[in-house]
């Protein structure tokens, strides 16, 4: 180690650091300074490796977020530059810059901390180890504009001979210095150049504003068509699309090129490139299919015209021989919702089990069967009438399709049962309850939900549902009550529910009593079932409070105990107190404001967003009674999680919004308009805009809503939404209704 890179140089300033409390356990870097010294100074390689492992455990830990990360980054970068565990430290710094496994609120700060160290690391571009260069390039891709980095890449470009690294360098240069990247790219389009370099060059030129030409098209198509099934790819999980992808997550040049073309009004050109990929023949069909899918997903998510144009292309990929391609295409179609309907016939080829019958061995058959299940689920989601007989035929091993029918699958755009009554499916459900199948072990729960949605039409299944009462105590009672309502079997069903309630635990007694109330109107037994729940173990108490709140004024006998639960205890946290407050408000109404203000005030000051959201939600239902909290509610308008209930609460407080209030009317209007584009349910924001306008939407608001309705691009993604296309369709429907269109 040179004097320049001696431990005292690497650790300069370490003694002056004031480290925040870490709060970690199980040996992670609770002592950052000591761990850094061990990493840099220890002669024992095992000690160094233990120190490195500690930082991996801490910097990538999910909960709690490691608060000293940004402070540790400069020391880790100096150690890397000095030759200590270079590849591992570069990978770690890339993880920090990318936010991998990090659901933080400070990701911009962390990325900037790593980017600030890039100049120190740039000499590693000339390292002999390809992996070290590759990790540094990945960091540059996350680090934003930097003339110094762009010039370092220009200098390295003349020396680098590996085509894959040249491509990566050019991609990184696009981030560090677009003008330098365009200069390099102009000389890299010729047919003698590597296809990947030509593609990245084309992307850089388009990003720089170049007009689309035959030369650029040839470069893009050549790359997209080439490749073999044996081509090495990196399989990674994309959180935006919630899909596994078989491309390099740091170089998505083809999909970025298509997005840029679409963004500047050349969507037909993007589609032409896709069609060229899909029409290509010969080896590499699976690779080409995955490339097409990687490009289709963001186009559908970002551009409102894209799904209708791309659904037929997805249909061709659904029938692809590569089951990975077919399965991914099906997942993408499910996220398109109604606009995936043109692919229904293609989905049917899988849902019918044709590919399962054609499988060459049991492993292929298992894969094909899983794809068939997802294809049938997609048909169920679309409400295709051909789905129901197939579901009835194959019910024992159609887990995803049954979850979708019951409104339980997270992949479904429906959150409640959506399959109409069908006698064949009823018979299949009864048979599956009588003869459980290990391939669909959760079927009784799903079937209870589905049968309950059919109401009295499911009455023939009551004998089977009775057998589930001792097993599925949380779900079977509701199905029994729904199926027996208004039928001759109602009296027997009531007796069965009473018997189930009497023989159940405190926790399981409540759903049986609630179902009995729904069937007979007997409120007294429900109240008496909830009462012991409020004194039981924690999860019973929480369930009891929710049920008490649903009783409304009829829950008045429970108020004394609920009021006791407004005070935090040893195991009873502030979040539980707020659930009790919500129940008290639902039962006692706005008159309970004075007794709820203290616990709501505590909730509004909590460090946890979910608790603040719960508190402001209760406050929004208190109306004018929440006036003492107005000053504390106003700051919650700054958070997406608490904005809408905070706005509702303030609008319900006389004088809180306006010249003399805590919130400016114009600022609140602007924030509500922004929320229309970001909330999953824009109807609430539109209603509040109407309230703010005195019962009608002002002309300026109408104009802004119409702009949102007619925009070609979907609103920017804020937060995670698996079904962004369907959510946007619902948003536009709400906008049309508000505008009377």
């Amino acid at each position: 180690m040179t004097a320049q890179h001696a431990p005292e140089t690497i650790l300069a300033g370490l003694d002056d650091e004031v480290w925040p409390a870490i709060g970690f356990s199980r040996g992670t870097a609770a002592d950052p300074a000591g761990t850094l010294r061990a990493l840099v100074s220890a002669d024992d390689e095992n000690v160094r490796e233990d120190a490195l492992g500690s930082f991996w455990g801490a910097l990538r830990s999910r909960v709690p977020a490691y608060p000293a990360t940004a402070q540790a980054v400069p020391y880790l970068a100096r150690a890397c530059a000095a030759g200590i565990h270079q590849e591992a430290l570069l990978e770690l710094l890339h993880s920090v810059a990318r936010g991998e496994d990090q659901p933080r609120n400070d990701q911009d700060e962390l990325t900037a901390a790593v980017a600030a160290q890039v100049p120190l690391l740039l000499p590693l571009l000339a390292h002999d180890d390809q992996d070290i260069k590759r990790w540094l390039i990945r960091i540059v891709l996350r680090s934003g504009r930097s003339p110094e980095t762009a010039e370092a890449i220009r200098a390295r470009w003349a020396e680098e001979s590996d085509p894959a690294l040249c491509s990566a360098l050019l991609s990184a240069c696009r981030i560090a210095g677009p003008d330098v990247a365009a200069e390099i790219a102009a000389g890299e389009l010729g047919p003698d150049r590597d296809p990947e370099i030509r593609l990245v060059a084309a992307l850089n030129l388009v990003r720089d504003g170049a007009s689309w030409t035959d030369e650029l098209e040839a470069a893009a198509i050549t790359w997209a068509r080439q490749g073999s099934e044996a081509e090495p790819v990196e399989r990674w999980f994309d959180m935006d699309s919630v899909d596994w992808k078989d491309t390099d997550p740091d170089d998505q040049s083809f999909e970025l090129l298509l997005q840029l073309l679409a963004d500047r009004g050349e969507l037909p050109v993007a589609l032409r490139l896709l069609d060229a990929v899909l029409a290509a023949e010969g080896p590499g069909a699976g690779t080409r299919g995955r490339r097409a899918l990687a490009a289709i997903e963001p186009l559908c998510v970002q551009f409102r015209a894209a799904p209708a144009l791309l659904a037929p292309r997805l249909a061709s990929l659904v029938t692809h021989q590569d089951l990975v391609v077919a399965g991914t295409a099906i997942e993408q179609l499910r996220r398109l919702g109604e606009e995936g309907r043109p692919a229904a016939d293609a989905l049917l080829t899988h849902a019918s089990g044709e590919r399962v019958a054609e499988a060459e061995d049991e492993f292929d058959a298992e894969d094909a069967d899983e794809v068939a299940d997802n294809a049938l689920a997609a048909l169920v989601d679309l409400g295709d009438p051909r789905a129901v007989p197939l579901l009835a035929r194959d019910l024992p091993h159609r887990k995803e399709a049954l979850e979708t029918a019951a409104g339980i699958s997270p992949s479904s755009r429906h959150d409640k049962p959506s399959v109409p009554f069908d006698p064949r499916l009823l018979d299949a459900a009864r048979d599956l309850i009588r003869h459980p199948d290990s391939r669909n072990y959760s079927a009784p729960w799903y079937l209870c939900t589905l049968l309950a949605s059919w109401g009295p039409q499911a009455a023939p299944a009551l004998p089977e549902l009775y057998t589930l009462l001792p097993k599925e105590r949380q779900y079977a009672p509701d199905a029994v009550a729904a199926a027996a309502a208004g039928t001759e079997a109602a009296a027997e069903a009531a007796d069965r529910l009473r018997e189930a309630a009497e023989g159940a635990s405190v926790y399981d007694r409540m759903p049986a009593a609630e179902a009995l109330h729904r069937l007979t109107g007997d409120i007294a037994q429900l109240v008496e079932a909830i009462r012991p729940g409020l004194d039981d173990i924690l999860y019973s108490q929480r369930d009891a409070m929710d049920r008490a709140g649903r009783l409304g004024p009829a829950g008045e006998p429970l108020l004394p105990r609920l009021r006791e639960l407004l005070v935090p205890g040893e195991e009873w946290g502030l979040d539980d107190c707020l659930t009790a407050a919500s129940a008290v408000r639902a039962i006692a109404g706005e008159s309970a404001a004075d007794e709820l203000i203290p616990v709501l005030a505590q909730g509004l000051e909590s460090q946890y967003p979910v608790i603040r959201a719960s508190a402001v939600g209760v406050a929004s239902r208190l109306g004018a009674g929440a006036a003492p909290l107005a000053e504390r509610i106003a700051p919650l308008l700054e958070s997406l999680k608490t904005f809408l209930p905070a706005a509702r609460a303030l609008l319900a407080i006389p004088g809180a919004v306006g010249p003399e209030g805590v919130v400016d009317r114009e600022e609140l209007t602007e924030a509500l308009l922004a929320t229309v584009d970001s909330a999953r349910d824009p109807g609430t924001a539109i209603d509040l805009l109407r309230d703010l306008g005195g019962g009608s939407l002002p002309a300026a608001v109408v104009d802004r809503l119409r702009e949102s309705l007619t925009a070609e691009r979907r609103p920017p993604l804020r937060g995670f939404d698996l079904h962004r296309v369907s959510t946007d369709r619902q948003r536009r429907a709400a906008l049309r209704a508000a505008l009377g269109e």
Side-chain angles (χ1 to χ4, degrees):
M1 185 177 291
T2 65
Q4 180 184 2
H5 292 148
E8 56 270 20
T9 303
I10 298 172
L11 301 177
L14 185 63
D15 292 335
D16 298 325
E17 294 281 0
V18 178
W19 300 96
I22 304 303
F24 277 101
S25 60
R26 296 193 298 275
T28 51
D31 175 19
T35 309
L36 283 167
R37 288 191 176 93
L39 177 68
V40 171
S41 306
D43 294 329
D44 189 331
E45 186 64 19
N46 290 330
V47 173
R48 286 188 177 187
E49 289 183 357
D50 287 345
L52 179 63
S54 290
F55 276 115
W56 268 106
L59 271 64
R60 298 187 66 187
S61 179
R62 280 188 170 275
V63 178
Y66 182 60
T69 302
Q71 287 174 256
V73 163
Y75 303 101
L76 296 174
R78 291 180 210 165
C80 178
I84 298 171
H85 286 297
Q86 285 183 311
E87 183 178 347
L89 283 176
L90 285 170
E91 185 179 359
L92 176 57
L93 290 169
H94 173 261
S95 173
V96 172
R98 185 183 176 193
E100 186 174 335
D101 294 338
Q102 302 285 7
R104 309 176 191 255
N105 295 322
D106 58 348
Q107 187 54 52
D108 290 344
E109 176 189 351
L110 295 173
T111 301
V114 175
Q117 303 304 314
V118 168
L120 177 66
L121 301 170
L122 284 175
L124 296 179
L125 286 176
H127 202 284
D128 292 336
D129 190 311
Q130 302 287 71
D131 288 331
I132 286 176
K133 289 189 282 190
R134 188 171 291 110
W135 279 116
L136 177 54
I137 290 169
R138 289 180 169 185
I139 290 173
V140 171
L141 281 163
R142 299 281 166 182
S143 299
R145 296 287 180 93
S146 170
E148 181 180 358
T149 301
E151 290 303 327
I153 292 174
R154 189 206 296 271
R156 182 61 200 164
W157 183 262
E159 304 295 329
E160 186 58 61
S161 58
D162 183 271
L165 276 171
C166 283
S167 172
L169 278 170
L170 194 49
S171 294
C173 196
R174 180 180 75 234
I175 303 300
D179 52 342
V180 175
E183 290 176 23
I184 297 174
E188 302 297 331
L189 291 174
D192 59 322
R193 300 298 288 154
D194 180 82
E196 191 166 347
I197 296 175
R198 293 176 69 191
L199 171 68
V200 179
L203 172 60
N204 286 344
L205 290 168
V206 171
R207 186 180 287 274
D208 197 49
S211 300
W212 190 250
T213 64
D214 291 343
E215 186 180 32
L216 293 175
E217 185 150 342
I221 289 177
T222 299
W223 175 85
R225 283 178 170 172
Q226 60 92 39
S228 67
E229 298 301 350
E231 179 182 348
V233 292
E234 180 176 351
R235 192 158 176 77
W236 62 288
F237 193 73
D238 181 9
M239 285 302 298
D240 288 338
S241 63
V242 198
D243 266 339
W244 286 98
K245 288 189 174 181
D246 296 306
T247 57
D248 186 341
D250 296 317
D251 184 12
Q252 303 163 33
S253 298
F254 187 61
E255 34 289 36
L256 286 174
L257 175 60
L258 269 58
Q259 291 171 59
L260 279 173
L261 290 168
D263 200 32
R264 68 185 202 177
E266 296 179 90
L267 182 58
V269 175
L271 297 180
R272 190 165 68 238
L273 293 178
L274 266 178
D275 288 338
V277 176
L278 295 173
E281 298 179 350
T287 299
R288 291 191 296 273
R290 288 187 282 275
R291 287 173 176 165
L293 287 167
I296 286 172
E297 175 84 15
L299 288 175
C300 288
V301 165
Q302 295 181 34
F303 301 96
R304 283 171 166 164
L309 298 169
L310 291 170
R313 292 165 172 87
L314 280 172
S316 69
L317 292 166
V318 167
T319 57
H320 203 284
Q321 280 301 114
D322 187 319
L323 284 175
V324 173
V325 172
T328 304
I330 291 169
E331 288 297 327
Q332 290 191 16
L333 278 167
R334 295 192 70 180
R335 291 194 281 275
L336 295 189
E338 290 294 327
E339 290 177 271
R341 197 169 293 280
D345 288 345
L347 290 168
L348 190 64
T349 63
H350 283 287
S352 64
E354 289 180 19
R355 294 287 293 273
V356 180
E358 296 170 358
E360 296 182 358
D361 56 49
E362 63 176 310
F363 299 107
D364 286 343
E366 287 180 6
D367 291 341
D369 200 51
E370 182 179 349
V371 172
D373 190 11
N374 287 322
L376 182 55
L379 286 176
V380 170
D381 243 348
L382 289 171
D384 192 302
R386 296 172 294 183
V388 174
L390 290 175
L391 180 58
R393 185 192 72 183
D394 300 328
L395 190 59
H397 54 107
R398 288 293 175 258
K399 183 176 183 293
E400 176 61 28
L402 178 54
E403 287 184 20
T404 300
I408 293 168
S409 169
S411 296
S412 173
R413 62 197 174 94
H414 299 292
D415 58 2
K416 57 185 178 181
S418 57
V419 174
F421 172 76
D422 184 272
R424 293 165 296 184
L425 189 52
L426 175 64
D427 289 342
R430 297 179 67 185
D431 186 66
L432 184 53
I433 293 173
R434 290 193 299 266
H435 306 99
D437 194 298
S438 60
R439 294 171 295 180
N440 201 343
Y441 55 86
S442 297
W445 165 26
Y446 309 145
L447 291 174
C448 285
T449 303
L450 181 61
L451 293 172
S453 74
W454 290 344
Q457 289 178 299
L462 281 169
E464 287 75 25
L465 289 173
Y466 293 152
T467 68
L468 291 179
L469 282 174
K471 307 170 188 175
E472 298 290 335
R473 295 180 182 273
Q474 293 293 310
Y475 308 105
D478 186 54
V480 167
T487 71
E488 295 180 355
E492 181 185 359
D495 289 340
R496 298 271 191 166
L497 289 171
R498 289 190 188 95
E499 181 182 350
E502 290 169 1
S505 66
V506 171
Y507 179 66
D508 289 330
R509 180 184 170 191
M510 288 184 282
E514 190 161 28
L516 184 62
H517 164 60
R518 193 173 298 116
L519 183 62
T520 66
D522 182 358
I523 193 71
Q525 186 160 340
L526 177 54
V527 170
E528 291 310 308
I530 293 174
R531 192 189 301 278
L534 295 173
D535 294 314
D536 201 35
I537 56 179
L538 190 58
Y539 70 86
S540 288
Q541 287 180 304
R542 290 170 174 167
D543 188 48
M545 287 190 299
D546 286 336
R547 294 181 190 276
R550 293 200 292 269
L551 290 176
E556 194 274 337
L558 303 173
L559 278 176
R561 176 55 178 156
L562 288 168
R563 289 184 173 116
E564 293 175 358
L565 296 176
L566 295 175
V567 181
E570 186 174 338
E571 294 184 358
W572 192 252
L574 186 53
D575 53 342
D576 296 312
C577 295
L578 290 168
T579 304
S582 179
V584 170
R585 162 61 185 87
I587 295 169
E590 296 179 10
S591 64
D594 289 343
E595 59 184 311
L596 298 182
I597 290 296
V599 67
L600 295 183
Q602 292 181 61
L604 294 174
E605 299 298 330
S606 171
Q607 63 176 313
Y608 300 108
V610 67
I611 291 181
R612 295 197 299 271
S614 178
V616 77
V618 178
S620 72
R621 298 192 289 276
L622 285 179
L629 301 173
E631 293 280 355
R632 303 187 190 192
I633 292 173
L636 300 186
L637 293 171
E638 299 175 6
S639 169
L640 186 63
K641 293 182 178 179
T642 54
F643 173 79
L644 284 175
R648 186 188 297 113
L650 292 171
L651 282 169
I653 298 172
V657 179
E660 304 299 324
V662 296
V663 178
D664 180 77
R665 181 177 297 274
E666 290 0 333
E667 291 180 1
L668 183 56
T669 299
E670 283 298 316
L672 283 168
L673 284 168
T675 302
V676 169
D677 282 340
S678 62
R680 293 191 180 188
D681 177 14
T684 300
I686 293 171
D687 289 342
L688 293 177
L689 282 166
R690 190 176 285 111
D691 292 343
L692 198 56
S696 61
L697 296 173
V701 170
V702 168
D703 290 342
R704 290 280 296 278
L705 294 181
R706 186 166 285 112
E707 287 177 12
S708 178
L709 176 63
T710 58
E712 292 184 5
R713 288 190 69 116
R714 302 188 201 281
L717 183 64
R718 293 181 65 181
F720 175 72
D721 187 355
L722 178 61
H723 298 286
R724 189 177 171 195
V725 175
S726 295
T727 297
D728 186 54
R729 186 181 303 110
Q730 295 166 4
R731 175 184 296 112
R732 297 180 76 189
L735 288 170
R736 281 192 292 269
L739 298 172
E741 297 180 359

